[in-house]
Amino acid sequence: MSAAAPRINLIFARAANGVIGVNNTIPWHLPEDMAHFKQQTAGAPVVMGRKTWDSLPPRFRPLPGRRNIVVTRQADWQAEGAQTASGLPEALALCDESAPSEVWVIGGAQIYAEAEPLAQRAVVTEIARDYEGDAHAPELDAAVWRETQRESHVSAKEGLPFSFVVYERT
Ligand SMILES: Nc1nc(N)c2c(n1)CN(C(=O)COc1ccccc1N1CCC(C(=O)O)CC1)C2
């Protein structure tokens, strides 16, 4: 009996207009979302693109307490605390080795787009404001994804309304 495959989760924060990033940074400052991200992914492998790795402040790389897997086509790329994979399938195969129950795909846009068809769940922070940006969230087709949880909040710091939402594949 082979171990059950891990559940593949996308996790991202998106603006009302679908923006998730600008110039490899996040356009908003939402500490409540960073805490949510940390809590959701704690102890599980995280899979990210190389640009997302580069976007993390160095003191937070690798993301602590999680196996950090970085997808890059650069065969010679390496970084302290990161395991590399040449593509998403290799990254997910690497995760399988430790037979985790959950795997978290944490960005960026390219990786989300490739992972969306393979994911069973999307944990989305929906920010109720438009932002300028150059990177966009993956489309979650309502015929495929259904909302199963929603928790609305207003950010203490900047009065920014946002919701923690969970979508599951039908
Ligand atoms: N919903 C949702 N999905 C995502 N994919 C992401 C988020 N929110 C938020 N993100 C980031 O802000 C990326 O990280 C950071 C960026 C700048 C400063 C600190 C951080 N870090 C925050 C997480 C900390 C941790 O987890 O330990 C380490 C420091 C990715």
Side-chain angles (χ1 to χ4, degrees):
M1 174 74 169
S2 68
R7 176 163 62 178
I8 298 172
N9 304 274
L10 308 182
I11 185 164
F12 56 89
R14 55 161 292 178
N17 61 344
V19 161
I20 61 170
V22 62
N23 300 327
N24 263 350
T25 62
I26 293 179
W28 46 80
H29 179 64
L30 196 53
E32 296 92 334
D33 173 57
M34 289 189 179
H36 175 69
F37 169 81
K38 182 170 186 148
Q39 182 265 329
Q40 289 287 316
T41 61
V46 292
V47 174
M48 73 192 91
R50 192 267 308 157
K51 287 190 279 188
T52 296
W53 171 272
D54 289 345
S55 75
L56 293 171
R59 69 188 183 287
F60 291 116
R61 290 191 319 229
L63 290 171
R66 288 146 283 184
R67 189 174 177 196
N68 286 225
I69 297 172
V70 176
V71 175
T72 175
R73 298 255 179 266
Q74 300 171 55
D76 57 350
W77 189 91
Q78 55 187 18
E80 182 70 31
Q83 283 188 286
T84 59
S86 58
L88 185 65
E90 290 77 13
L92 296 174
L94 265 179
C95 293
D96 279 2
E97 287 167 8
S98 50
S101 57
E102 307 284 349
V103 168
W104 293 89
V105 174
I106 69 166
Q110 209 178 319
I111 299 286
Y112 289 134
E114 198 180 337
E116 186 273 336
L118 307 173
Q120 287 78 43
R121 201 160 65 128
V123 176
V124 182
T125 300
E126 297 186 352
I127 296 168
R129 221 199 87 181
D130 290 349
Y131 284 84
E132 291 291 306
D134 55 21
H136 292 81
E139 183 67 42
L140 299 183
D141 181 342
V144 173
W145 294 92
R146 67 190 165 80
E147 180 179 314
T148 58
Q149 282 172 53
R150 177 175 290 264
E151 206 184 277
S152 294
H153 300 270
V154 178
S155 162
K157 194 164 178 303
E158 296 168 6
L160 192 58
F162 65 95
S163 299
F164 292 139
V165 188
V166 177
Y167 295 93
E168 307 211 26
R169 183 174 288 278
T170 43

